[in-house]
Every structure is written in structure tokens, then in C-alpha cells.
């Protein structure tokens, strides 16, 4: 679903005079990736899920091919008691919700030191509540991803988490808009924490 960006970058490289043989792009699913690895490239750069990344790494290792993996992680932002809370809340908001929150490097979890926790959450909730859907925050990329998001939120709330703001679809704005959501008291064994 991010292929158009890579295709646009490749087109710009070629338009700037780079010979087409020096930069090429093959688009497809696992069968295309497996076929590319089988050709024995000099290096592999893979962006995708941790599950597929493990397969790519194993195949690359078996063939002694260097590999760089950019996998969907669960990046954490940490806010300590001596932080500028206003600035930290703004930074966390940007780190989570830029590009609609759909970047592999987006902060997925926020760990806050206890003495400042309540004040930080208040600031973050206020800032998230001030975001305008369709202006500051776009839609979720596809319906299946939105369904997965809803599942993770529902199961996490069932385990005791609290939705402090957001948490709902906004079909009045489009089929895959979802309110910016702040969830607290997230159990360590819940989907929102682990996935």
C-alpha cells in the first residue's frame, strides 16, 4: 500500500538521468520477494511485517546476502519527570499522528513517569481532541486496517484500558476515518500494547 511513493521516487530518479538499469522496482507479494531473493542480489532492503522479515532474513542468511530490515515495531516514547510537558505532549502527538499515524516509525506507546503522568495525559488528551479529522489527520489507509484497529481497541478495553478521547469511526467524514484516540491503563498483555 506504500508502493506509489516508491514508484514516484523511482520515476524522479529516472527523469533526473539515472540509467533505468541502476534503479529498478519489483512490486508484488511473497512470491515476488522469494523470486528476487533467489536471483542472489548483492543486498536486500525489506520493509514490512516482522513475520515476513524473519522469512526474508532466514533466506538471505542461507544465501549469505546482506539484509536491512525495516519492520513494523512497537516504538515507545518515554517522558521523564523533568521534561517540558507541553512540548513533550506536542512531540508525542506529532510522533503518533503524523501521516495519519500510519508510519512504521510512529510512536505506538507512551511511557510516562508517575509524578507527571496525570498532567501529561491531560495535555495529550486536550491536544488530540483539538485535531481536526480531514485536515490535521487523514483516513486509515484501508477498511481491513480499520477493522484490525477496532479489534485491538475493543479487546484492550475489555482487559481494563480506558479510552480518554476518541475511539470511534467517523463515517460522516468518509468510510475509514477514525477519531484520534488516547487510551490509558493499557495492560501489558493487551493487543494495543503487544501489537
Amino acid at each position: 500500500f506504500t508502493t506509489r511513493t516508491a514508484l514516484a521516487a523511482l520515476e524522479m530518479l529516472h527523469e533526473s538521468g539515472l540509467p533505468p538499469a541502476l534503479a529498478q522496482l519489483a512490486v508484488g507479494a511473497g512470491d515476488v520477494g522469494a523470486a528476487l531473493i533467489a536471483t542472489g542480489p548483492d543486498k536486500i532492503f525489506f520493509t514490512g511485517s516482522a513475520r515476513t522479515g524473519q522469512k526474508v532474513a532466514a533466506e538471505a542468511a542461507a544465501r549469505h546476502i546482506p539484509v536491512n530490515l525495516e519492520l513494523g515495531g512497537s516504538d515507545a516514547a518515554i517522558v521523564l519527570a523533568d521534561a517540558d510537558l507541553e512540548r513533550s505532549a506536542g512531540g508525542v502527538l506529532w510522533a503518533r499522528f503524523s501521516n495519519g499515524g500510519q508510519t512504521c516509525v510512529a510512536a505506538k506507546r507512551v511511557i510516562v513517569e508517575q509524578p507527571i503522568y496525570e498532567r501529561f495525559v491531560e495535555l495529550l488528551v486536550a491536544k488530540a481532541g483539538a485535531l481536526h479529522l480531514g485536515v490535521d489527520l487523514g483516513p486509515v489507509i484501508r477498511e481491513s486496517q480499520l477493522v484490525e484497529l477496532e479489534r485491538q481497541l475493543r479487546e484492550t478495553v475489555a482487559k481494563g484500558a480506558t479510552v480518554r478521547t476518541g475511539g470511534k469511526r467517523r463515517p460522516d467524514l468518509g468510510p475509514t476515518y477514525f477519531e484520534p484516540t488516547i487510551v490509558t491503563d493499557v495492560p501489558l498483555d493487551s493487543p494495543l500494547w503487544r501489537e
Side-chain angles (χ1 to χ4, degrees):
F1 292 96
T2 60
T3 306
R4 288 185 179 160
T5 303
L7 290 169
L10 183 65
E11 184 178 325
M12 287 187 283
L13 285 171
H14 291 162
E15 287 176 0
S16 72
L18 185 74
L22 291 180
Q24 301 173 27
L25 183 65
V27 178
D31 59 329
V32 173
L36 287 172
I37 292 172
T39 67
D42 294 328
K43 177 119 183 179
I44 297 170
F45 290 88
F46 173 78
T47 300
S49 71
R51 185 179 316 136
T52 303
Q54 288 176 331
K55 293 176 184 176
V56 169
E59 285 295 317
R63 299 169 191 276
H64 303 288
I65 301 170
V67 62
N68 280 46
L69 303 172
E70 172 58 48
L71 308 178
S74 191
D75 307 315
I78 299 171
V79 183
L80 301 177
D82 61 350
D84 176 328
L85 296 187
E86 185 74 34
R87 187 173 180 186
S88 295
V92 164
L93 191 78
W94 178 87
R96 176 61 254 172
F97 292 117
S98 62
N99 196 42
Q102 299 169 103
T103 63
C104 55
V105 296
K108 277 66 163 196
R109 301 172 288 149
V110 185
I111 300 167
V112 183
E113 257 191 303
Q114 192 63 44
I116 59 166
Y117 176 80
E118 286 302 329
R119 178 67 183 133
F120 179 81
V121 170
E122 288 172 12
L123 288 168
L124 192 60
V125 166
K127 289 179 180 297
L131 291 174
H132 294 95
L133 282 168
V135 177
D136 300 318
L137 195 62
V140 175
I141 192 168
R142 61 188 185 276
E143 174 69 21
S144 62
Q145 192 62 38
L146 183 56
V147 169
E148 175 63 13
L149 172 71
E150 290 174 320
R151 178 198 65 82
Q152 290 177 359
L153 182 60
R154 182 178 58 254
E155 290 178 13
T156 299
V157 168
K159 287 182 170 283
T162 304
V163 175
R164 299 290 286 263
T165 189
K168 295 186 283 291
R169 279 187 192 232
R170 289 292 305 276
D172 55 310
L173 298 174
T176 59
Y177 276 88
F178 195 83
E179 295 173 338
T181 304
I182 305 296
V183 182
T184 59
D185 309 312
V186 176
L188 299 182
D189 65 345
S190 68
L192 283 186
W193 186 269
R194 300 179 69 78
E195 298 173 34

